[in-house]
Amino acid sequence: MRVDQIDISQYESLLNEKAQQTLALFEQIKLPDNIKTIESNNKNYRLRAEFRVWHQDEDSFYIMFDPVNKEKFRVDYFIPGSELLNKMMVAVREHFLNNPILRFKLYQVDFLTTLSGEALVSLIYHKKLDDEWQQHAKQLKQALNEIAPVNIIGRARKQKVLVDKDYVTETLSVQNTQYHYQQIENSFTQPNGMINQAMLNWASVISQSLSGDLLELYCGNGNFSIALAKHFNKVLATEIARSSVKSAQYNLAKNNINNTVIGQSSAEDFSAAYFEGKSVKSLKDIALSDYQFTTILVDPPRAGLDDKTVELIQKFDNIIYVSCNPETLKDNLLAIDETHQVQDLTLFDQFPYTHHIETGVWLTRRSLL
């Protein structure tokens, strides 16, 4: 559905239809009776977005492309976007329309906002950014700071120019505790902040009944690791993207968490090393024998888990699986169902008005029942 054609009055019916279609995928798996669906706001739910800039005569405006026919359409108000994101869209456009230095060869504008009221604006160009551009970008930052704390990034071929910082700091509330997360430009962050907060609370409630040590794969910037650390003796988390690992380590320090180690490794490499009894190359200073793992949390990309990682997670008493793709989740659960039983399945509407939905699953080893 095109974002300019969203009818918010249809939100409930669309979500119900999506939830039913998703649950139908799992008909071969025994599910608990109390399946919940967590609703999103029906508008202003998305914290990040990117727009191409279209120049036409004396005007310049944001455009997106129709997902079906790829035709461009103008976007003056982005219905899914947070209120702060929309305010930034308007203010940035008004500023570059009246500023030839900022407007000339401006190709794209990316926005990242937070629930806690910060913003990051990335201006992407088909030209080299010089000192004059930086001076005008500083003036833009000063103007936008009247709306909210904001940082500006300029990008061009082989150039990245910072007007202050390249990140925002998000604050999320999980079981009445505030956690602070650095979110870096061009690194993955959950787009729907309120739903992310709901997922963290869901995982935290489950984890408070568990014990021992936690292993997490695909940890990103420490989104789950940081919120769940207090429920476990020790946490070991891995992530393949170097920028996310650095951000996660920064976030550990910012939240004064001392029982968690985050290192760089792919899930595939970690699984292979685990079964071969070898140390992970990038985790050579970490002895897996020092951990008493009882729980594993995975939040993989849309491709889901490879066979070796499925085999790995079956070694754990508790599995917390967060999935953005019900199709690959179904395939993984059919394999995991041989050794584990689903205790909780909750749907989170991370992506309203699309067929995508986030699914959280908690499984326990059958021998423990």
Side-chain angles (χ1 to χ4, degrees):
M1 180 184 296
R2 278 175 39 166
V3 296
D4 61 335
Q5 297 174 345
I6 287 174
D7 179 359
I8 63 174
S9 70
Q10 297 298 308
Y11 174 74
E12 296 284 348
S13 61
L14 290 171
L15 175 57
N16 290 336
E17 180 181 353
K18 177 165 56 174
Q20 291 173 10
Q21 291 173 346
T22 300
L23 292 176
L25 294 172
F26 306 125
E27 60 184 4
Q28 295 174 263
I29 300 165
K30 181 174 174 52
L31 300 179
D33 295 329
N34 58 337
I35 293 174
K36 300 183 183 68
T37 300
I38 307 302
E39 296 184 3
S40 171
N41 292 338
N42 61 10
K43 63 178 181 177
N44 304 130
Y45 50 84
R46 189 174 177 88
L47 296 176
R48 54 183 170 89
E50 56 188 48
F51 303 94
R52 288 277 298 275
V53 177
W54 192 262
H55 301 283
Q56 184 173 310
D57 300 325
E58 298 302 313
D59 196 8
S60 297
F61 46 88
Y62 304 113
I63 64 166
M64 298 183 77
F65 293 91
D66 189 299
V68 177
N69 58 30
K70 307 305 179 186
E71 292 182 359
K72 67 179 185 295
F73 60 92
R74 180 169 177 159
V75 181
D76 291 318
Y77 184 84
F78 186 51
I79 296 172
S82 69
E83 291 183 3
L84 177 56
L85 191 152
N86 276 284
K87 288 179 182 178
M88 287 290 163
M89 285 176 61
V90 172
V92 169
R93 177 173 175 266
E94 287 178 349
H95 204 90
F96 69 64
L97 275 178
N98 297 305
N99 189 312
I101 302 300
L102 294 179
R103 182 184 178 193
F104 183 61
K105 292 195 173 182
L106 176 62
Y107 172 75
Q108 181 170 308
V109 183
D110 298 351
F111 298 90
L112 173 62
T113 59
T114 68
L115 296 176
S116 48
E118 294 187 14
L120 183 65
V121 179
S122 300
L123 305 172
I124 303 170
Y125 289 87
H126 285 321
K127 69 174 181 179
K128 184 177 180 180
L129 304 179
D130 54 18
D131 291 342
E132 185 178 23
W133 179 88
Q134 290 190 54
Q135 290 302 314
H136 286 270
K138 288 178 180 177
Q139 294 171 13
L140 172 61
K141 173 180 166 63
Q142 186 175 5
L144 296 179
N145 276 336
E146 297 294 319
I147 301 172
V150 64
N151 293 303
I152 305 289
I153 299 174
R155 283 192 173 274
R157 189 163 182 249
K158 296 183 179 180
Q159 269 191 299
K160 178 181 178 180
V161 180
L162 303 185
V163 183
D164 205 351
K165 299 176 293 190
D166 65 349
Y167 65 87
V168 290
T169 300
E170 177 65 288
T171 300
L172 300 174
S173 178
V174 183
Q175 289 194 298
N176 299 316
T177 300
Q178 302 291 312
Y179 295 98
H180 308 287
Y181 294 88
Q182 179 192 67
Q183 298 182 343
I184 299 177
E185 182 235 16
N186 272 355
S187 292
F188 175 77
T189 56
Q190 298 285 353
N192 190 324
M194 295 302 295
I195 290 295
N196 181 39
Q197 195 164 246
M199 292 194 301
L200 293 177
N201 276 280
W202 168 83
S204 187
V205 169
I206 291 170
S207 297
Q208 69 185 8
S209 66
L210 308 179
S211 59
D213 298 336
L214 169 69
L215 173 65
E216 182 183 357
L217 308 180
Y218 312 96
C219 75
N221 70 342
N223 187 48
F224 283 98
S225 315
I226 287 165
L228 303 186
K230 67 180 180 181
H231 299 305
F232 297 93
N233 296 331
K234 290 186 290 186
V235 178
L236 173 61
T238 69
E239 165 62 42
I240 191 171
R242 182 176 299 177
S243 61
S244 292
V245 171
K246 289 182 178 179
S247 187
Q249 292 168 341
Y250 174 94
N251 291 336
L252 287 178
K254 191 171 185 65
N255 289 280
N256 298 311
I257 294 174
N258 302 311
N259 69 336
T260 300
V261 174
I262 295 180
Q264 185 177 6
S265 173
S266 69
E268 293 80 4
D269 287 348
F270 186 93
S271 300
Y274 182 94
F275 283 110
E276 294 169 9
K278 298 179 181 178
S279 61
V280 182
K281 190 178 197 180
S282 56
L283 304 176
K284 57 186 177 215
D285 296 329
I286 299 172
L288 297 183
S289 59
D290 291 342
Y291 290 85
Q292 301 296 318
F293 292 121
T294 59
T295 304
I296 186 167
L297 188 151
V298 291
D299 184 6
R302 292 191 55 77
L305 303 176
D306 66 285
D307 292 343
K308 207 67 176 176
T309 305
V310 168
E311 186 180 351
L312 170 66
I313 71 174
Q314 289 177 285
K315 301 291 184 184
F316 293 77
D317 292 341
N318 295 279
I319 301 168
I320 301 174
Y321 191 144
V322 180
S323 168
C324 61
N325 186 348
E327 293 281 356
T328 53
L329 174 63
K330 175 198 68 174
D331 294 339
N332 289 161
L333 287 184
L334 286 173
I336 300 168
D337 189 59
E338 298 176 3
T339 55
H340 289 69
Q341 180 170 321
V342 176
Q343 297 297 324
D344 186 289
L345 188 147
T346 301
L347 302 177
F348 299 90
D349 195 20
Q350 177 88 248
F351 313 100
Y353 309 105
T354 75
H355 67 278
H356 301 293
I357 198 163
E358 201 95 0
T359 308
V361 187
W362 171 37
L363 306 101
T364 57
R365 189 186 301 278
R366 290 188 179 277
S367 60
L368 296 179
L369 300 177

